[in-house]
Amino acid sequence: MRILVVEDEAPLADAIARGLRREGMAVDVALTGDEGHEKASITRYDVVLLDRDLPGMSGDELCRQIVSSEELTRVLMLTASGTVSDRVEGLSLGADDYLAKPFAFPELVARVRALGRRATPAAPPLLTVGDVELDPAKRSVRRANGPVELTRKEFGVLEVLMSAKGGVVSSEELLERVWDENADPFTTTVRVTVMTLRKKLGEPGIIETVVGSGYRARDTGPAKG
């Protein structure tokens, strides 16, 4: 899940970003409304956490811009005011949810996950390629011979590849969807992650390298046990 946090209080923005990254999300941070607008114009985020009181472009105006883009991006407004009238006003701008500060972090995570599910086209309960089975809800992977333990990034890469249903996914797209803006586009991170993922999944490999294009997941027969 790709998240944008637009919050002018840098310590709070960083704390939210660190916490969401621990939950396996890719998180970018913007400290002004203008910076948030620029990032949202370039990258398709699943959820934007948006403070209403921002320098530069206001949170209200940025919310209008995101809603008018007709993307599937969901907006969770954050504000120091939790009155009913403020909530109504925020939601009337097109925000999908509203959370008053201070908030409990587990509640924030739950709301972000709920909005993220709405921002993504419905997926089948289980993703399968050959005898590999991935459960997005339980964040678990199994092959015919038992469970496969993966890191968060390995799981994210496998989920994107299996969701593509045989389509080729470029390294750039994997970097954008599984990591965040701090990832170096020239890094070998994707290649190394795919390499370790292949080892953990075992033979025969289901991840194929398409030279010059990227990777795809395909059925290559049952695992060798």
Side-chain angles (χ1 to χ4, degrees), residues 121-140:
L126 298 176
L127 297 173
T128 59
V129 174
D131 60 353
V132 177
E133 182 180 275
L134 183 148
D135 187 328
K138 295 181 179 179
R139 300 192 67 77
S140 64

Side-chain angles (χ1 to χ4, degrees), residues 161-215:
L161 292 176
M162 292 178 69
S163 297
K165 299 180 179 179
V168 177
V169 183
S170 68
S171 295
E172 291 77 13
E173 183 176 353
L174 286 172
L175 200 63
E176 178 179 309
R177 295 181 61 183
V178 182
W179 282 265
D180 56 38
E181 67 180 355
N182 296 313
D184 182 350
F186 301 104
T187 185
T188 60
T189 296
V190 172
R191 180 171 60 82
V192 172
T193 302
V194 169
M195 180 178 67
T196 59
L197 179 56
R198 282 171 167 153
K199 289 180 179 178
K200 291 184 178 182
L201 291 173
E203 295 293 339
I206 70 161
I207 301 176
E208 176 185 29
T209 299
V210 181
V211 179
S213 298
Y215 305 92

Side-chain angles (χ1 to χ4, degrees), residues 15-138:
I16 292 173
R18 288 196 305 270
L20 294 179
R21 287 174 185 141
R22 285 196 295 268
E23 296 294 324
M25 304 178 197
V27 186
D28 296 337
V29 174
L31 299 179
T32 68
D34 294 326
E35 185 184 5
H37 180 258
E38 180 180 359
K39 292 186 176 183
S41 300
I42 296 171
T43 302
R44 210 288 283 177
Y45 293 97
D46 297 295
V47 181
V48 174
L49 276 62
L50 179 59
D51 184 25
R52 290 191 69 182
D53 187 16
L54 292 169
M57 179 183 288
S58 70
D60 289 356
E61 179 57 28
L62 180 52
C63 180
R64 292 190 190 95
Q65 294 285 341
I66 293 171
V67 172
S68 66
S69 71
E70 298 184 354
E71 294 282 358
L72 292 174
T73 301
R74 303 300 179 180
V75 177
L76 170 58
M77 276 202 163
L78 304 175
T79 182
S81 178
T83 65
V84 172
S85 60
D86 279 316
R87 290 199 299 271
V88 170
E89 184 178 357
L91 294 172
S92 69
L93 295 169
D96 299 277
D97 201 355
Y98 197 101
L99 190 59
K101 304 174 186 176
F103 48 80
F105 192 74
E107 180 181 3
L108 175 67
V109 172
R111 290 182 183 234
V112 169
R113 290 199 186 282
L115 290 176
R117 288 192 291 271
R118 292 168 55 189
T120 305
L126 298 176
L127 297 173
T128 59
V129 174
D131 60 353
V132 177
E133 182 180 275
L134 183 148
D135 187 328
K138 295 181 179 179

